[in-house]
Amino acid sequence: MSRAPITLAELNQLDRASFVAVCGPLFEHSPWIAERTFPQAPFASREALHAALCQTLTMATTDEKLGIVRAHPDLVGRLAREGALTRESTGEQAAAGLSSLTADEVRQFDEYNAAYRAKFDFPFVICARENKKDSILAAFPVRLQNSPEQELATALIEIGKIAWLRLWDSVGE
């Protein structure tokens, strides 16, 4: 989020390793999405690039999809408290107001995260930059009512939103 964006034209000229260096972080700890999407270059627009990346995710195996969801940190979790999140996740959680919570709010996040993981065996994923702490806390009990299949689909949609915003931070027209 702090480096100057590369232009789409420049991105389209990159070799595989450089492309993955730019697009790999769009999906939390999952550079394989960028690696598999690279052969489709050049991309006509950021929208086309995002669509291709998301199509790669859609075509992934269930285990790979679960892997990318599990690559996401718990919101306000141990990694956040230890300062061990990716640069992108740190900024996204801060933008949602999750870096300045009361002790009661932290406890509430911990309880929801534990209940969510117990039910689904993966972390709660939501596009923090499109939400604030109150809407995120309100989403937990609603999404806890979902089936595992519904929730995996919801998490993947949220991951697409996160990737979209990260793409706009990283690649200019």
Side-chain angles (χ1 to χ4, degrees):
M1 286 185 226
S2 59
R3 61 188 159 199
I6 187 172
T7 67
L8 184 63
E10 292 167 333
L11 181 80
N12 280 329
Q13 298 301 313
L14 296 178
D15 62 25
R16 179 183 296 268
S18 300
F19 178 86
V20 171
V22 173
C23 295
L26 304 179
F27 294 86
E28 196 83 6
H29 300 294
S30 301
W32 60 268
I33 295 172
E35 290 168 0
R36 290 185 195 171
T37 306
F38 172 78
Q40 297 176 47
F43 301 95
S45 64
R46 288 183 288 188
E47 293 82 359
L49 171 57
H50 182 258
L53 291 162
C54 288
Q55 182 63 25
T56 298
L57 179 56
T58 298
M59 299 306 293
T61 67
T62 300
D63 283 345
E64 289 170 327
K65 291 174 184 176
L66 286 168
I68 190 171
V69 175
R70 289 180 178 135
H72 283 263
D74 284 329
L75 294 173
V76 193
R78 178 185 56 81
L79 292 176
R81 293 194 287 267
E82 293 174 355
L85 297 176
T86 63
R87 178 179 51 82
E88 293 85 2
S89 286
T90 298
E92 290 158 358
Q93 289 198 28
L98 303 184
S99 58
S100 56
L101 301 176
T102 67
D104 283 343
E105 290 167 332
V106 170
R107 180 190 46 72
Q108 193 171 19
F109 269 96
D110 285 345
E111 289 172 5
Y112 279 142
N113 281 327
Y116 189 91
R117 272 192 184 272
K119 181 170 182 178
F120 300 113
D121 194 30
F122 53 77
F124 179 85
V125 178
I126 192 167
C127 183
R129 284 169 62 182
E130 290 186 349
N131 290 276
K132 296 295 180 206
K133 69 178 176 186
D134 292 336
S135 62
I136 295 169
L137 285 169
F140 270 103
V142 173
R143 287 180 51 188
L144 277 163
Q145 302 306 309
N146 285 342
S147 70
E149 296 78 17
Q150 289 170 313
E151 200 47 32
L152 177 59
T154 300
L156 294 172
I157 290 167
E158 294 297 315
I159 287 168
K161 293 176 186 177
I162 293 164
W164 174 252
L165 292 170
R166 289 178 179 184
L167 175 61
W168 277 78
D169 290 340
S170 301
V171 179
E173 287 289 343

